[in-house]
Amino acid sequence: MMRSHRAGDLRPEHRGEQVTVCGWVDGHRDHGGVVFVDLRDIAGVVQVVLDPQHVQGADPHAVRSEFVLRVTGLVRDRPDGTINTELPSGAIEVAAEQVEVLNASDPTPIPIDERAEVDEVLRLRHRYLDLRGQRMQSNLRLRALVTRTLRKELDERGFIEIETPLLIASTPEGARDFVVPARLAPGSFYALPQSPQLFKQLLMVGGMDRYYQVARCLRDEDPRADRQFEFTQLDAEMSFADAEDVMEVIGAVVAAAIEAATGEPAPAVERITWHDAMERYGTDKPDLRFGLELVDVSEVFAATEFRAFQADAVKAIRVPDGGDFARNRLDGLIERAKSLGAEGLVWMRVQEGGVLDAPVAKFLSEAECIGLVDCTAAEPGDLLLLVSGDRSLVRRVLGTIRLDLGRPPVGEGPMRLAWVVDFPLFEAVDDDGNPVPAHHPFTTPHPDDLELLASASGPALLAVRSLAYDLVLDGWELGSGSVRIHRADLQQQIFELLGISPEQAQARFGFLLDAFRYGAPPHAGFAFGIDRLVMILCGEENIREVIAFPKTQSGADPLTGAPTPLEAVQLTELGLNVRPPTKKGG
Ligand code: ASP
């Protein structure tokens, strides 16, 4: 064996033992005599004492940072007064008898484990050094623990792990595909999966009953703090199951992963309808860790003379004790509301006796002032922030301002996990008058809304609910799922509504419609982002911190240089001609 112990595992109980450890020189103190080395490996750090008088092998004075050493020696107590209580191994040290330099290291271009100052591109270019730091090591370990727990929980519940192909025909999840040219079929392309959606449904038709996969998915959308081109989902599907069955299983496995990661009981999974979430938090992924809920005060101003409040909706946020917000902070909120598309934002300070101190107070009737205080349960010293206009705009603007005002940092405060249910079937109507699916086109309409679905058209269709549900953790959308359509006639009807002609449907999804003709079982499923879950559990603000080799904000990999142009011979082989780019995406 190359080593007897991991360096960072050594403890006082190893005192008196002869050990061999390997690792990197984390730091070294060389005062010309004895050399002290902090030797680092995956388990942590231990102090090694290299006394040139006694040590065999390499010259202790030649040792430098990040050299790779193999040290054999005796574990002994550190002398009194030199114990380091910050370090788990801080009571002991290894008195080296033999030291071997397994490899030297050039001075590193980035420090190990000191983040703040280092340019991100430089850090990603030398990711292997960044990975040596304690932060990335513990993040990736926690990630492995989460994945292991998810697998175990699903295995125990009768799910079968099945791999689905990477080179596929496009699956619509609403994003742009990454495509791969097919050498054997020049002019044709595979799509890389945005999700295994259609395959997991086909697995249900194939009688696999319960499937899961730790699935790599690719979507060509602009990367941002919580999104990369490539990401990993826990993807699952269940036969003979409805929404409740899926929510129970997924809620339990996510809870188990949270418990494994935090060592504490997971929060109970709450439930809120999409409509309530939008009305009270202005978003379909509410962060329930704090209040500042949106209160609908439209009724109070139903007959108002005040022009600004003669609108589709008026909503308010009560900021407890916000009455002392300075004028420039209030001006900042007004600017923020305008930048989000609102006409403006109205603020009012609540005083004793429910009197409102605000530039607009003179335009409001007494009944309106009383009604407003009543509706918002405002107390003296509070601040009220109001936005009016189109309902969806008001929700969005105040929902964003709510987050600006009160959102705790990632990982802070007791976690709040919630299912958002009863999503609308369609999220918009496009310029051709066709509805756009809110989830994907394989989602079952809510059984109570089937009549509406048959009779409505245009924007009226937006009221049709679906059997789709999202799981939200601390205001982050972990993932989505739905009860699927499993009958060819209903699927065909939805395709038609979406403006996909029977010919197009046959060409793109004929294989699915065909499969549905041979006894497709009722089925439902879910998928959630493992990267995002781990990011929250690690308390990280950026998903890159929980991915071993992520890309930058512009989708580049500074380490390998990807993406790169193809060699002419490869282009020829693939039958491709590359036009010089004209403009971005041109
Ligand atoms: N395929 C969906 C997604 O990736 C999840 C699901 O419906 O199961 O968002």
Side-chain angles (χ1 to χ4, degrees):
M1 295 281 258
M2 199 169 237
R3 60 183 176 186
S4 65
H5 294 78
R6 299 190 305 177
D9 283 336
L10 294 177
R11 294 290 179 275
E13 67 252 32
H14 298 104
R15 187 186 302 122
E17 279 182 43
Q18 165 100 353
V19 298
T20 301
V21 287
C22 300
W24 289 266
V25 176
D26 196 54
H28 60 112
R29 293 169 297 285
D30 184 346
H31 304 297
V34 171
V35 178
F36 292 94
V37 163
D38 294 325
L39 195 70
R40 171 186 7 95
D41 67 5
I42 185 79
V45 166
V46 74
Q47 175 163 287
V48 173
V49 184
L50 304 172
D51 183 345
Q53 306 285 328
H54 296 115
V55 77
Q56 308 268 314
D59 172 8
H61 298 299
V63 161
R64 296 288 173 269
S65 285
E66 299 309 313
F67 272 34
V68 190
L69 304 185
R70 178 167 185 245
V71 176
T72 300
L74 197 69
V75 179
R76 67 180 187 201
D77 283 329
R78 290 204 198 183
D80 279 350
T82 64
I83 290 176
N84 180 352
T85 50
E86 306 271 288
L87 206 64
S89 68
I92 47 109
E93 59 190 14
V94 178
E97 288 152 18
Q98 175 80 34
V99 61
E100 197 182 330
V101 174
L102 298 177
N103 211 344
S105 171
D106 288 347
T108 56
I110 59 168
I112 309 292
D113 233 353
E114 277 168 48
R115 277 301 180 71
E117 305 299 312
V118 182
D119 170 63
E120 138 134 302
V121 173
L122 192 62
R123 203 151 62 67
L124 291 184
R125 193 150 106 76
H126 301 281
R127 184 63 157 180
Y128 42 83
L129 293 177
D130 202 32
L131 290 173
R132 267 187 216 165
Q134 212 257 316
R135 177 170 172 181
M136 281 307 299
Q137 300 218 330
S138 73
N139 285 359
L140 292 187
R141 255 198 302 212
L142 189 121
R143 184 182 176 120
L145 173 65
V146 165
T147 316
R148 192 159 68 235
T149 309
L150 296 172
R151 282 201 160 100
K152 175 175 151 289
E153 294 290 324
L154 289 163
D155 290 343
E156 281 169 4
R157 288 173 172 80
F159 283 75
I160 309 174
E161 183 169 6
I162 304 174
E163 286 162 86
T164 54
L166 282 181
L167 297 174
I168 64 171
S170 176
T171 288
E173 291 284 359
R176 201 176 289 115
D177 284 324
F178 277 100
V179 295
V180 177
R183 180 178 56 85
L184 297 181
S188 290
F189 294 81
Y190 300 101
L192 295 174
Q194 292 189 34
S195 83
Q197 183 64 34
L198 294 170
F199 289 101
K200 66 176 171 175
Q201 293 194 237
L202 293 172
L203 287 170
M204 296 302 102
V205 183
M208 288 297 169
D209 199 66
R210 289 180 166 200
Y211 138 96
Y212 80 92
Q213 180 177 197
V214 177
R216 304 300 299 277
C217 303
L218 297 104
R219 297 182 190 177
D220 189 0
E221 294 177 291
D222 291 342
R224 51 176 202 217
D226 66 334
R227 191 165 71 195
Q228 286 264 312
F229 285 156
E230 312 179 36
F231 58 96
T232 309
Q233 305 201 129
L234 192 287
D235 193 50
E237 198 74 15
M238 298 165 72
S239 287
F240 308 113
D242 59 19
E244 293 301 325
D245 298 312
V246 175
M247 286 193 271
E248 193 188 310
V249 168
I250 298 294
V253 304
V254 170
I258 292 176
E259 290 192 21
T262 62
E264 284 167 25
V269 195
E270 301 164 70
R271 199 175 279 204
I272 182 169
T273 64
W274 177 87
H275 181 265
D276 272 5
M278 297 304 289
E279 283 293 304
R280 290 166 49 199
Y281 301 97
T283 170
D284 57 7
K285 41 179 196 268
D287 189 339
L288 303 175
R289 288 176 299 168
F290 67 106
L292 299 176
E293 279 187 32
L294 281 49
V295 184
D296 201 289
V297 294
S298 309
E299 279 294 305
V300 174
F301 300 106
T304 191
E305 307 261 295
F306 181 44
R307 289 282 294 274
F309 287 174
Q310 294 170 353
D312 181 30
V314 188
K315 281 181 170 285
I317 289 180
R318 175 175 80 89
V319 185
D321 300 321
D324 57 2
F325 275 31
R327 266 313 266 272
N328 60 357
R329 184 151 186 212
L330 295 170
D331 290 344
L333 290 172
I334 294 172
E335 283 316 307
R336 176 74 164 142
K338 286 186 179 162
S339 73
L340 293 165
E343 293 276 330
L345 170 143
V346 168
W347 57 262
M348 303 183 197
R349 297 190 178 113
V350 184
Q351 298 185 322
E352 288 303 330
V355 176
L356 296 174
D357 163 31
V360 308
K362 54 181 176 291
F363 303 117
L364 305 180
S365 72
E366 199 181 332
E368 286 168 348
C369 293
I370 294 171
L372 180 60
V373 170
D374 215 40
C375 225
T376 54
E379 301 276 341
D382 290 351
L383 176 73
L384 294 176
L385 302 172
L386 287 88
V387 173
S388 58
D390 169 67
R391 180 164 294 273
S392 60
L393 176 89
V394 171
R395 286 165 168 174
R396 187 167 54 76
V397 173
L398 267 188
T400 308
I401 287 180
R402 171 180 179 267
L403 293 177
D404 290 352
L405 287 173
R407 188 169 198 189
V410 180
E412 194 174 290
M415 286 184 174
R416 296 286 294 267
L417 189 59
W419 285 109
V420 179
V421 297
D422 290 353
F423 263 75
L425 189 61
F426 308 113
E427 65 178 11
V429 175
D430 69 17
D431 294 343
D432 302 329
N434 296 319
V436 180
H439 189 40
H440 48 52
F442 316 109
T443 301
T444 302
H446 197 293
D448 294 349
D449 292 350
L450 284 176
E451 259 177 45
L452 182 60
L453 182 69
S455 59
S457 62
L461 280 169
L462 300 183
V464 177
R465 289 165 303 163
S466 68
L467 294 181
Y469 32 82
D470 271 13
L471 187 59
V472 176
L473 176 59
D474 293 354
W476 300 90
E477 182 202 319
L478 277 192
S480 324
S482 60
V483 176
R484 322 300 184 186
I485 297 170
H486 67 284
R487 298 235 322 253
D489 52 351
L490 183 57
Q491 187 63 74
Q492 192 75 58
Q493 184 191 342
I494 294 290
F495 283 150
E496 271 167 40
L497 258 172
L498 296 175
I500 304 175
S501 71
E503 296 72 35
Q504 285 168 323
Q506 198 54 42
R508 287 182 66 192
F509 309 114
F511 63 95
L512 183 75
L513 296 171
D514 282 352
F516 282 177
R517 289 167 45 217
Y518 303 107
H523 58 287
F526 193 75
F528 65 86
I530 291 181
D531 314 88
R532 220 173 260 183
L533 174 61
V534 174
M535 176 185 113
I536 300 167
L537 292 173
C538 290
E540 293 287 3
E541 301 273 350
N542 197 307
I543 209 150
R544 293 196 278 275
E545 305 297 352
V546 300
I547 297 174
F549 297 103
K551 305 221 170 9
T552 62
Q553 200 81 15
S554 57
D557 175 8
L559 174 57
T560 62
T564 49
L566 288 185
E567 299 280 337
V569 30
Q570 249 176 316
L571 287 173
T572 313
E573 199 172 48
L574 294 169
L576 293 180
N577 254 323
V578 179
R579 271 193 297 147
T582 44
K583 54 180 182 321
K584 193 172 183 290

